[in-house]
Amino acid sequence: MMAADQTVHGVPPSLSAKVVGSFAYLTVRDRLPTILTKVIDTIHRNKNKFFEEYGEEGIQAEKQTIGLLSKMRNELQTDKPVIPLTDSLQDAECWNQYLQKHQKLHGDQESVSWFKSPWLYVECYMYRRIHEALWLNPPISDYDVFNEGKTQSFFESQQAVMTICTHLEGVNSNIENLSKNQLFEHFDKLLQVSLWGNKCDLSISAGQDNSQKTSPIDSLVSLQPLILVNDSNTVWSTLISAQTHARSEKTTVRVDIVLDNAGFELVTDLVLADFLVSSGLAHEVHFHGKSIPWFVSDVTAHDFQWTIQQTMASNHKCMSKIGYQWKSHLKDGVWSYHDHPFWTQPHEFCDMAADAPDLYANLQGADLVLFKGDLNYRKLVGDRDWDHTVGFGTALQGFGPAPLCSLRTLKANVQVGLQPGQAEKLTSHEPDWMTCSKYAVIQFYSSKAEQKD
C-alpha cells in the first residue's frame, strides 16, 4: 500500500518540484546536486585510502562508483525518469514496487521523473541510489560517504557537548531530592535542548559546517517565543500517567526516540534519555536509527556506538562519566538501539501499519514516541500541501501506534496545527519562516486523547 493509492477526501497533493520556484523545486534543482557533488568529491579524495586498503580493486571500485553517481546527477539535473534499483539488497523489491505504483498513478503519458514526482520520494530515492552505487562496487560497499561530516560536526560541537553533560551531571546528582515541579522544569528544559539540537542538520546545509558552537541551555528563554506549537505540558502529563499506570500494574514505562541527526543533536537526545531513566519517568528507552547512511547526517548504528565511545574517552570529567553511564544503560538493557528498513524507504508513516506491520506493532509497545526532526515530520504528515490550520491528528491520516510527539525545527514548507492567522502573520514578517530553521514545534498527538474529547 501507499498513501497515494488512497482516495482520501480532502487530502492535498504531495509537495513536488513541479512547482517552479517552490522550496521543493529549489531543493531538487540546487541542493540535491550539490550533495551529490560532495559525495563524489569525498569518494575521489579517499582514492589513496581505498588503494592502501584494497589495492587496484579499490581504485576500480572508486572509479565505477563515481561513474554511477555522476550518471545519477545527470539524470536528476535533466529531469530523466526515475529508474528501478538493480542491487539485490532486501529492500530493492519494495522500492521498485513503489516506483511501479507511482508509474500507474502517472499513467502512460508521463514518466515518474525527478521534478514531476513527490519531493519526499525523489529525495529519499537519491540517498538509496547513493547506497546502491557503493554496494555494487565491493570492496568499498560499506564505506559511509557522510562519516567525515558527522565526525567533524561532533568534534566541532565539543564545547556545547561539555556544557550539556555538565548540566546533566548536576541534575542527576540531586535528582532524588527534586519535587515534581522541579522535575518538570528539568524535563521541559532538556526537551527543548533536544528540540533545538535539531538545528544541526547537514542535509539542509548541503554538508557545510553546521555544528553547535554554544550550548542552547542559556538561550532557552529567548528561544521560547520561536516555538510555534508547544505541547510539552501534554507530553509531561502523558509520562506521569504512564508512570502511575505502571506502578499500579507493576509494569514498565517505555519511551521510544526516532532519531534524526548524529553529532550534537544525538548528544541532546542521549542526555534527554538519560534524564528520563535517572528520574524514573521511563524505565527503558528504545532508540530508532537508520540502517544505511541517510540524508547526510542521520544516525546509523555505527554513529550511535561511536558517539558513546567518544563521550567515554573524553578528557572532560563530566563528559566521560556520563559516557560510561550511557554504556551501562546499553549493557543493562535499559537503553536499546534498533533499525528497520522502513525508516530508509520513501513511505509516509500512515503506510507503516500495512507496509511494516512488525515495526508498527513494536511502536505500539511504547508509552510515548518522540519523532526527531524535519524528515520524520514530513513523513508523519505525508509531506503534503496542507492548510496550516489542519489538525496534526488529521494530517497523520490514521497513523498513531502510541502517543507521539514531534520535536522539529522547521526546514521544509509543511506545517500543520497552527492557530488561525498564525501562519499569515509569520509570512508577513518572514516569508521563509517554514524553511529557515529559526522556528520549531513540540507537537503532540494521541488517539486516546481524541477519544476522551
Side-chain angles (χ1 to χ4, degrees), residues 287 304-305 308 325-337:
F287 296 93
F304 188 83
Q305 298 294 347
I308 291 174
Q325 193 160 296
W326 294 347
K327 186 77 177 170
S328 116
H329 287 332
L330 282 170
K331 195 178 164 217
D332 298 341
V334 175
W335 283 5
S336 55
Y337 176 90

Side-chain angles (χ1 to χ4, degrees), residues 307-318:
T307 301
I308 291 174
Q309 291 296 338
Q310 290 300 320
T311 310
M312 288 165 66
S314 171
N315 294 327
H316 187 269
K317 192 181 166 191
C318 281

Side-chain angles (χ1 to χ4, degrees), residues 173-428:
S173 64
N174 191 39
I175 209 149
E176 304 287 319
N177 305 318
L178 296 177
S179 67
K180 197 171 174 182
N181 283 350
Q182 289 170 322
L183 212 55
F184 170 70
E185 279 170 27
H186 286 299
F187 164 78
D188 195 34
K189 196 176 274 191
L190 292 176
L191 193 71
Q192 287 180 53
V193 169
S194 174
L195 169 71
W196 293 112
N198 181 241
K199 283 181 84 134
C200 308
D201 189 329
L202 292 172
S203 75
I204 299 300
S205 60
Q208 293 293 328
D209 170 30
N210 205 4
S211 55
Q212 183 77 28
K213 300 290 191 283
T214 57
S215 168
I217 288 177
D218 302 327
S219 321
L220 292 181
V221 173
S222 60
L223 290 168
Q224 194 97 36
L226 304 176
I227 303 176
L228 305 178
V229 178
N230 189 347
D231 292 333
S232 50
N233 284 336
T234 320
V235 179
W236 169 258
S237 59
T238 300
L239 283 171
I240 292 298
S241 60
Q243 192 184 47
T244 307
H245 180 262
R247 277 188 193 131
S248 65
E249 299 293 317
K250 295 190 170 49
T251 55
T252 56
V253 176
R254 178 181 132 194
V255 173
D256 284 31
I257 304 178
V258 183
L259 299 166
D260 190 13
N261 300 300
F264 180 71
E265 180 175 2
L266 175 57
V267 174
T268 66
D269 299 336
L270 296 171
V271 163
L272 175 62
D274 189 311
F275 172 77
L276 291 173
V277 168
S278 302
S279 63
L281 285 166
H283 302 103
E284 51 181 306
V285 178
H286 290 203
F287 296 93
H288 300 269
K290 307 298 192 297
S291 51
I292 61 172
W294 194 249
F295 274 66
V296 185
S297 45
D298 282 21
V299 178
T300 63
H302 171 267
D303 301 325
F304 188 83
Q305 298 294 347
W306 181 87
T307 301
I308 291 174
Q309 291 296 338
Q310 290 300 320
T311 310
M312 288 165 66
S314 171
N315 294 327
H316 187 269
K317 192 181 166 191
C318 281
M319 201 168 148
S320 178
K321 186 180 176 186
I322 293 288
Y324 275 95
Q325 193 160 296
W326 294 347
K327 186 77 177 170
S328 116
H329 287 332
L330 282 170
K331 195 178 164 217
D332 298 341
V334 175
W335 283 5
S336 55
Y337 176 90
H338 309 262
D339 51 34
H340 190 285
F342 186 83
W343 301 122
T344 49
Q345 286 170 5
H347 299 278
E348 304 170 29
F349 288 163
C350 62
D351 295 338
M352 189 191 288
D355 285 305
D358 57 330
L359 178 59
Y360 195 85
N362 185 304
L363 294 180
Q364 285 178 311
D367 294 283
L368 172 69
V369 185
L370 300 175
F371 286 90
K372 293 298 308 286
D374 217 56
L375 178 60
N376 279 323
Y377 192 85
R378 289 169 61 193
K379 288 187 169 190
L380 280 165
V381 302
D383 208 36
R384 294 174 178 275
D385 192 16
W386 293 105
D387 188 283
H388 299 306
T389 56
V390 164
F392 187 34
T394 302
L396 289 169
Q397 298 177 76
F399 179 74
L404 62 89
C405 178
S406 168
L407 300 177
R408 170 224 188 186
T409 59
L410 278 62
K411 312 180 195 97
N413 55 335
V414 58
Q415 179 59 55
V416 297
L418 298 186
Q419 298 301 315
Q422 195 178 1
E424 290 76 7
K425 190 176 174 186
L426 285 159
T427 304
S428 69

Side-chain angles (χ1 to χ4, degrees), residues 32-216:
L32 299 191
T34 301
I35 288 168
L36 271 177
T37 301
K38 282 181 178 291
V39 167
I40 291 166
D41 289 348
T42 300
I43 293 169
H44 186 63
R45 265 192 299 105
N46 283 278
K47 184 163 72 168
N48 290 342
K49 177 186 175 221
F50 299 144
F51 180 70
E52 282 166 21
E53 287 185 26
Y54 311 114
E56 197 53 44
E57 205 185 345
I59 296 292
Q60 277 304 110
E62 176 257 351
K63 276 186 193 158
Q64 287 169 335
T65 304
I66 286 175
L68 290 173
L69 294 172
S70 301
K71 178 178 173 286
M72 171 166 57
R73 183 175 56 186
N74 179 260
E75 290 166 14
L76 188 166
Q77 292 177 310
T78 54
D79 195 25
K80 292 286 188 296
V82 169
I83 58 174
L85 297 173
T86 59
D87 60 45
S88 54
L89 291 165
Q90 69 177 94
D91 64 339
E93 190 184 343
C94 176
W95 275 93
N96 291 339
Q97 284 172 355
Y98 198 89
L99 170 58
Q100 284 167 11
K101 286 176 182 175
H102 263 292
Q103 191 56 68
K104 274 183 194 164
L105 290 170
H106 276 249
D108 299 331
Q109 281 74 40
E110 193 177 55
S111 293
V112 175
S113 70
W114 288 86
F115 280 80
K116 297 185 189 79
S117 303
W119 167 32
L120 178 65
Y121 170 43
V122 295
E123 192 168 12
C124 290
Y125 172 77
M126 181 190 84
Y127 288 99
R128 182 57 179 80
R129 280 276 299 274
I130 292 171
H131 186 62
E132 177 190 53
L134 283 152
W135 193 86
L136 289 172
N137 287 294
I140 66 168
S141 305
D142 294 331
Y143 180 66
D144 181 352
V145 290
F146 305 124
N147 186 57
E148 288 176 15
K150 289 185 280 192
T151 304
Q152 186 182 350
S153 171
F154 176 81
F155 286 126
E156 287 178 353
S157 304
Q158 284 301 281
Q159 202 53 54
V161 171
M162 287 174 195
T163 305
I164 194 174
C165 285
T166 304
H167 176 82
L168 178 66
E169 177 57 21
V171 173
N172 282 351
S173 64
N174 191 39
I175 209 149
E176 304 287 319
N177 305 318
L178 296 177
S179 67
K180 197 171 174 182
N181 283 350
Q182 289 170 322
L183 212 55
F184 170 70
E185 279 170 27
H186 286 299
F187 164 78
D188 195 34
K189 196 176 274 191
L190 292 176
L191 193 71
Q192 287 180 53
V193 169
S194 174
L195 169 71
W196 293 112
N198 181 241
K199 283 181 84 134
C200 308
D201 189 329
L202 292 172
S203 75
I204 299 300
S205 60
Q208 293 293 328
D209 170 30
N210 205 4
S211 55
Q212 183 77 28
K213 300 290 191 283
T214 57
S215 168

